[in-house]
Amino acid sequence: MTPCLRFAGANPSMPVADWRRHTAQLSLLVSLISFGGSAAAQIRDGVVLLYHHVAADTPAATSVRPETFAAHLDFLQREGYAVVALDDVVAAAIGESSRLPPKAVALTFDDGYRSIYTTALPLIEARGWPFTVFVSTDAIDRGYANFMSWDELRELEARGGRIANHGTAHGHLIRREPGESAAAWRTRVRGDIVSAQARLDAELAHPSPYFAYPYGEFDTALERIVADLDLVAFGQQSGAIGPGAILTQLARYPMATGYDSLASFAEKLRTRALPVRVLEPESRVLAAGAAAPALRIELLDGPYRRDGLRCYVAGQEPAAITWSGDIATIRAREPLGGGRHKFNCTAPSSDAPGVYYWYSHLWIQPRDDGTWYAE
Ligand SMILES: [Zn+2]
């Protein structure tokens, strides 16, 4: 299995915990590849949805209106989706895909806003479905308006929810303070995550060993910290999760007003994980003023049409793709500029009409003057 050897060789400095996980995922991939099509037919993916506020009076970019949220839940029920615990999706990612029923979906909420308690919880509880809320513990400890209290989080746990780690201060964790050494950065960021986990452990009965990156921002160094802490981590890049998914960069579909129609919701739910291996570059963080980036990925076997691969970049023409065997080099048409960006790559299923295999690649870039964007 030369692709796996190449993958192993590309990460010589990977820490042990990380390495063990990747190795387990690799051996699974090897067995799937060896069995070919018959095993592929048994692969099950799960989709994780990400909400923030369920309210009409909060910012559109992080809100879904209550009636839209209710319509999403009605759709899941009507169309026979299985709303599962995040544990089951993670199990599928590490190869226990038999735990995952067909049409599996998990519900997550970031930040711990009060509308989750007042508005989302009753709607979910009425259906008896599990869900997970990632909280930044400072907001709860300080009793910020619009956030749940620890009492409410305990009640939410008792009524079917799980609570997980979203850091202490909701910082941009990949950013270095002025003059901060790599070691000092590691200590500070590790401390933020560990302190949040300690608060969850102290206040709650069953906190989950999962982490959601604030703003969905991660880089390789942050992934190593999270892996060393034995946390499984979720981003905000879109896509489904299937066997072989990297446990420090699990995808979720963010839901926001304007992008939450039932048609778009249904399309996201139908997606499958596009099995790719990222070859280059190692870092997702681009230099200030960087030229249009190129991403080199290897596409692994699966029941999708490789010739139908398209990669979309917001505000630009679709990226240019050049092929060398199974390896695609995907280049944006224009520089990305300061901010968070994604290449959203899709390929149509070869046997299921309307189903797309999906891989979303995150890029992070400071503004041209080297300073960071506000949010
Ligand atoms: Zn957040």
Side-chain angles (χ1 to χ4, degrees):
M1 285 295 141
T2 44
C4 298
L5 292 175
R6 188 153 63 237
F7 177 65
N11 293 273
S13 57
M14 189 177 282
V16 174
D18 209 5
W19 174 247
R20 266 202 303 271
R21 278 204 192 93
H22 284 266
T23 308
Q25 291 170 5
L26 279 180
S27 45
L28 174 79
L29 270 177
V30 169
S31 63
L32 290 175
I33 292 164
S34 309
F35 283 111
S38 60
Q42 293 160 20
I43 293 174
R44 285 190 180 147
D45 294 1
V47 165
V48 181
L49 304 174
L50 163 60
Y51 297 86
H52 286 85
H53 301 275
V54 177
D57 57 354
T58 44
T62 51
S63 302
V64 166
R65 301 175 68 88
E67 62 272 25
T68 306
F69 184 71
H72 286 180
L73 299 190
D74 287 345
F75 183 89
L76 293 173
Q77 192 156 22
R78 192 172 64 239
E79 298 295 324
Y81 282 91
V83 178
V84 300
L86 211 45
D87 287 348
D88 294 334
V89 178
V90 172
I94 59 174
E96 299 169 23
S97 116
S98 57
R99 263 179 72 170
L100 213 54
K103 303 178 84 169
V105 180
L107 303 173
T108 69
F109 302 85
D110 275 11
D111 300 344
Y113 292 117
R114 197 132 199 296
S115 61
I116 306 315
Y117 177 79
T118 57
T119 308
L121 174 59
L123 293 169
I124 302 172
E125 189 182 28
R127 294 165 169 86
W129 288 345
F131 62 99
T132 301
V133 182
F134 290 91
V135 300
S136 291
T137 54
D138 275 359
I140 314 299
D141 279 334
R142 294 173 188 175
Y144 287 166
N146 227 10
F147 285 83
M148 285 183 270
S149 66
W150 286 115
D151 276 342
E152 286 166 341
L153 288 168
R154 278 187 283 273
E155 188 187 329
L156 192 139
E157 232 185 2
R159 292 167 64 183
R162 297 294 294 271
I163 316 299
N165 192 333
H166 197 33
T168 304
H170 206 279
H172 291 274
L173 296 181
I174 67 152
R175 298 182 187 178
R176 274 62 168 170
E177 306 275 5
E180 189 174 45
S181 69
W185 169 81
R186 247 191 324 274
T187 303
R188 176 173 62 80
V189 167
R190 192 178 196 282
D192 181 280
I193 299 170
V194 168
S195 301
Q197 197 66 38
R199 292 298 296 128
L200 297 177
D201 291 343
E203 296 285 351
L204 301 168
H206 309 289
S208 297
Y210 303 143
F211 182 69
Y213 298 109
Y215 309 100
E217 290 181 354
F218 61 91
D219 64 3
T220 310
L222 181 54
E223 289 185 79
R224 287 197 178 116
I225 292 174
V226 165
D228 282 342
L229 293 171
D230 275 331
L231 293 167
V232 168
F234 292 82
Q236 296 187 18
Q237 75 283 11
S238 47
I241 297 173
I246 295 175
L247 296 182
T248 50
Q249 44 181 267
L250 296 177
R252 295 185 292 172
Y253 280 108
M255 294 288 139
T257 299
Y259 303 91
D260 54 358
S261 71
L262 277 188
S264 129
F265 188 66
E267 189 177 84
K268 288 162 185 158
L269 292 171
R270 281 197 304 268
T271 57
R272 310 281 309 271
L274 183 67
V276 307
R277 194 165 3 258
V278 173
L279 304 175
E280 281 182 323
E282 197 205 340
S283 177
R284 287 155 208 282
V285 183
L286 300 168
L295 172 70
R296 215 159 65 87
I297 55 176
E298 179 180 4
L299 281 94
L300 307 176
D301 286 341
Y304 63 88
R305 278 185 34 223
R306 198 164 293 191
D307 63 350
L309 183 73
R310 302 282 181 275
C311 292
Y312 301 93
V313 186
Q316 298 190 11
E317 291 292 304
I321 302 177
T322 51
W323 288 93
S324 171
D326 296 341
I327 295 171
T329 300
I330 299 150
R331 187 178 296 279
R333 306 279 177 175
E334 300 163 41
L336 300 179
R340 282 185 297 277
H341 308 274
K342 279 148 202 155
F343 283 3
N344 285 324
C345 297
T346 68
S349 167
S350 52
D351 52 16
V355 172
Y356 282 84
Y357 284 70
W358 191 300
Y359 172 72
S360 174
H361 190 85
L362 170 71
W363 300 98
I364 299 170
Q365 187 171 345
R367 291 187 290 224
D368 288 356
D369 66 2
T371 61
W372 283 108
Y373 48 89
E375 280 273 298

